[in-house]
Structure formats: C-alpha cells, structure tokens
Amino acid sequence: MKSKLHCAVFSAVLLISASGSFAQMKSKEAGLDKTIDGIIKKLTLEEKIGMLHANGIFSTAGVGRLGIPGLITDDGPLGVREDVKEGWGSANLTTDSATFFPNGSALAATWNPALAYRMGHDMGEEARERKKYVMLAPAFNICRVPLCGRTYEYYSEDPYLNSRLAVAAVQGMQSQDIAACVKHYAVNNQEIERNSVSVDIDERALREIYLPAFKAAITEGHAWTIMSAYNKLRGVYCSENDYLLNKILRDEWKFKGIVISDWGGTHSTVNAANNGLDIEMGSRPPYNTYHFADKLLDSVKAGKVSEKVIDDKVRRVLWVIYHTSMAANPPAGKINTPEHSKTVYDVAAESIVLLKNDKHLLPLHASSLKSIAVIGDNATHTFHLGGFGAGVKAKYEVTPLAALQSKLGSRITINYAQGYSGVYHTFRRDTSKKKDIIDTAKIQEAVAAAKKSDMAILFIGGNRDYESEGADRKDLGLPFHEQELVDAVTAVNLNTIVVVIGGAPYDIGKIKQNNHTIVWSWYNGSENGNALVDVLLGKVNPSGKLPFTLPAELKDSPAIALNAYPGENHKVEYKEGILVGYRWFDSKKIEPMYCFGYGLSYTDFQYADLKSAFPAYKNKPNINLVLTLNLKNTGKYAGKETVQLYISKQGSAIQRAEKELKGFKKVQVLAGQSSKIQFIVPVESLAYYDVKTSKWVVEPGKYEILAGSSSRDIRAKTTITIN
Ligand code: BGC
C-alpha cells in the first residue's frame, strides 16, 4: 500500500515536469524539495547506494517498488551514440542509428551560439527518442596543447567563446528535458597519462582560462549534471576533489545537480563520497565491487561516510530525474528528421574556414569546367564512428565525393583517385614503419587524374582514427604522406585546391607557402559533403573562423615552448599561466601560421566608427560598456561576418594578455549594404582574478577596445576609461 502511494506521489511530481515549461517547473521547486525528502525517507540504505553507481555501461539502478527509474546516460558530443553491450562491442541493433552532428571544434568555428542551441536541442530530441536521459555532452575543455587527441571533441582555446557556446548547447539540450552532462571538469587538457597526471596550475589561470565555460554552463546554462575529469588537480583526483566539487561547484556556483565520474575515473570510496562525487560510472563489471557499491555501504555502516551525505546525493539524483521527466513517460522524441539534417547542414556550412584564395579560384566557376580530379582518401572517408565515446552510427553521411557527384556529376567528368590510404590501425599512435610506407602507386594514380582534369581538389587531413580519445598526436605533421601527395598533384595541375579536414591543428606550412587555395573543414556530420561542396560552389559564402591558433611550428605553442607538456613523473605544470592560445602568441609577438579567429569570405567587409556610448564607465555591477560599429559589405556577395571584440588593458599593474576576447557577433550583410552592430559588455567582464584576495578585480584606467575580423586583423579601435 505504502509503496504504491509513493510510486504515485513520485510519478505525479514527475508528470508536472513532462507537461510544464521549465519556468513553470521552477516555480514548483519549493514543493519539490519536500516531496523528494519524503521519497528519501522511504528508501533503504541499499536502495540509495544502488542509485549511486553504475549497474551497466551507461546506467544506474532505480528503485522499482517506488517507481524511481535508473539513470540512462549516453554519449555524447557528436550525437546519440550507437548502443553497445558489455565490453563495448556493438549491440548490433538496427534501431540505434542517429544524426551525426559536427564535432566540437566545427561548432566553435561557426562562432554562432544560436547554432549551438539548435544542435543541443536536436540532440536532445534524438536522445529522448532513444530513451537516453543524460547526454554526456557538451565537452569543452580548453585547447591548451594542439596535440590533444580530443581537441576535435572540444570547442576552442578561448574561455569566452567556449562559454557562449556551452551555455547555448546546454540550454538547447535541456529544453528537451534531457540533462546535459558537461565535461570534463576540470583541466583535462591532454590524453597522455590522463588517468594519473596531476595538473599544477596557478589559481589565476584556473579561474580565467579553464573554469569560465564550466561556470557559465552551470550558472547561466543551468546544466543538471557535470562529469568529473580523469586527471588530478594539484595532486587530488578531480573525482574526489573537495575544492573543485564542493567549494567551487556547489558553494560558489550553487550547483544543485549530479556530479558523475568519468568512466572508471573513481579512485576511492570515503574521499570521493565526502568530497563531492555523486555517482561512480564505469563499464567493467562486476558493478558491486565499485567504490560506490558495497564499499560505500560498508563505509556508511562504519560511520566513515554519514547517511546525510548519501541522502544529499540521492536528493540530487531525484532532482535530476524530476527535471528530465525520466519517470513520467516523456513524449517521444524525434530522430533522423530533415530538421535535424538541416541543423547539421547549417552548422557545417558556417564552420568551414576559407584560409587562402589568392587566385580567386573559389567560388568555383563550375560552368567553365569540363573535368575535376577529386583526390584523397578524405573525399570518401566517413567520420561518424571512432574515437571511443564520440562515435555515432549515422543514418547517413554524405562524403565530399558523393556530394560533388550529385551536384556536378551530370555535366562534369569527375576523376577520382584515392591518393593515400587513411587507415590508421594503432590506437597509441605508434604506427610501425611498415604501415607508414608511402604508396607511390596511389600518388601516381592521383597525378594521372590531375593531369587529365581542368582542376584538382585534394581532400586530405586527419580522420577519426588518427584523432582520438585516449592518446595525443606525436606531432602536427600531416599523416599518411599527404604532403607528398599534395606536392605531386600541385606540380602537374596549377588549378589545385587543397581541402584539409581535421578537428585539430595540423602543420600545413608548406601548403600555405606553395598552394594558392586552401579550405579548412571538419568532421562535419551527416551533411559533411553537401555543406563543403556548397561552399566550394559559392552557394554558401564561407564564414567560419578558426577556434584555435594554427602555430607555424609546434614549438611555438606555449606548453611546448615552456617544456610544460606532457609533464614528468605524472605531473604537468601549466607554466604558461593565463597565456594560452592567442594570448601567448600575441603577448610574445610570435607569428602563427593562421591566428585565432582567422577566416576569409568571398566578399569583403569594412569596419568603421567603433564608438563607445560613453567615454568612461563606473566600475559597478550591472554597468555595461555600450559599443557600436558599422560593418559594410563592400564586395560582390552576400555574406556573414563574425566581428570579434577584444579588450587590451593599457599600462596594467599586473600581467595581462595583449588582448582578450570579450564579445563577438555574427551578422549577415548583403552585398553593398551596411549593418550597425551593438555590443554590450559588462564592466565586470574586464576583471582579472586577484589571487591574493581571491576576488575578481576590474583595474581602473584606460582600456583599448579592438574590433577585428580575426585576433590579428584589428580593423577598428577606440578607448574607454574605467573610473
Ligand atoms: C570519456 C567520456 C565518455 C565516457 C563514456 C570516457 O572514456 O572520457 O567523455 O563520456 O568514456 O563513454
């Protein structure tokens, strides 16, 4: 009788969330706390513990007698992954295909939070249809080292750009009653020794560079769950780090949701339980041997972990179940819809970066072409699977070759040659020399195709085996002898376009020097080929901007220059402090190959009249700088431009980066037209983190405001004063 009553109580509460908007739900929260307390009273200690650890690769136990569902989580950043069985093998289902969304750095290259929202929203709909209620996404660790194997999953090297995208992605996903699990908290910036490395970082860099996007995702995006990272911070595993989990996340940011460990990333029972971890996840049975299973039960019984601590965790789990409407039969979602494909297409189209177009070969003048040589494994490679957690069994994926054939094949002869084989067997990046032998026959085939064609388009770069979770790349060199291929093809066809597909920086210095036309694209989801070809044809004017610096040489990037990667004896010191990415290159006056924020268009934009509404502003909460700028499209094509707003503190008493991104706006302007753009920048956002007082401090004095088309192409300036 009792259990039935509670089942009914719980379901009734949950039904509220299924039917109401988020705002309505919020107003019901007061009553919710009481209801949840009531439910907790009915749970046995064993039942509570069962809710706090994995009972399957992606799930935890519920409590059937009270109608409490277990959590069902799933990866991840690129879409709802395929189902797997114990041991990670494919479950071989026919019902688990999904939309493959562009990778994280592709999304970041759009500089478009509205697209991040749509992507989160659509992924949420797909998760609902697949009955996954906690999506292990988005992932947005800062790109500290260009070699990091997960750079493609993450967004960018800048905390502000990351923050804006993270907030939008979380809000989009949670609008579908699917919890976002933002990851990996925190300073998980390399894959080498990720399970043991301890990050030694000064507090200012932690606060200014590595935490802002997490903070924004929690305090503005209201993410319901967060994943603790594998690594240690200052000697303590992130999954048992009181400072990160209790002090910062809960006390400072008022996080009410669940901290979920990364898979297999829990290392203790009592410490983890008392220091803020809620749920231990992992994929290796037997699950009762987990730190948060029988051992946790014993620790409570022995008085080492109080039952109140357990109740708090269960309370948070119930709170998330309620918010996701998991137990209330949420309405079916949607999967593989044309709308989702459109989102993928729009993100992909806006992510592609035009790096070089010296001969104006692009957009292609297709009507004057009779033949095109399409060369390179990446013209036919698909990118949906691979990379551990980020694989999606795509319903479909249009490759560049398929798109070229369908859009041009009826009137233009397409001569395809593979050029190289993009097979990358070894997970640890140590391909044996044997596998690394250059395939001259393939190169000769490519040369022959290029010779007999009006032009050649080369598709090179990485792939999802080469860039992957669990390992960093050894260097930035192009894999698979692609450079030799580019050299050989370029030598026989002057009209060669190079398209680099990758999720992280590569050394394309020689291509920059020798080739006139370079396009950068990404692991761009199910619509990869369609978006790319539409950019080449000018149906889409490219508007992507690099979300990270492409260094001229690896040794120029800060962590490498300072010998602060990958660390020694399982310790890595972030010696560069706040000077990450362009902050380092600008401050040290090092010329990168292509700078942060760089990207060309088929049209030109003129920046004028950057003005501040006031010459001076008070340093007070809720005071904003109000800045305006005129942007004119002076070229022949309509196009989108991302205007980037940087600030530079003049005569600072402390070390500051030469410039810091504080705003950006992406706008569409028709040819010959102008657009007036307004930026509202909170004065508070000019602050630095003062380690001595543990406070954010806005220095008084002059600040230069810089509006640029990239971090190094500043086209308008003005100065303001903070009193
Ligand atoms: C990754 C997480 C992922 C989890 C589950 C871990 O190895 O670090 O990002 O969500 O596996 O697949």
Side-chain angles (χ1 to χ4, degrees), residues 57-58 73-77 81 88 135-137 139 150 153-154 181 183-184 188 191 194-195 227-230 261-264 281 283 387-390 469-470:
I57 298 190
F58 286 109
T73 74
D74 210 10
D75 286 304
R81 66 166 302 138
W88 290 97
M135 278 297 282
L136 308 172
R150 300 186 87 169
E153 278 187 69
Y154 301 152
C181 183
K183 65 190 191 185
H184 308 87
N188 183 181
E191 291 298 285
R194 66 174 178 174
N195 295 305
M227 188 186 293
S228 58
Y230 279 128
S261 79
D262 202 340
W263 269 231
M281 291 306 291
S283 53
F388 284 36
E469 181 184 337

Side-chain angles (χ1 to χ4, degrees), residues 224-245:
W224 295 327
T225 79
I226 189 167
M227 188 186 293
S228 58
Y230 279 128
N231 49 281
K232 299 174 183 172
L233 168 68
R234 298 175 186 141
V236 182
Y237 275 112
C238 292
S239 57
E240 55 187 58
N241 198 305
D242 177 64
Y243 185 58
L244 279 179
L245 304 183

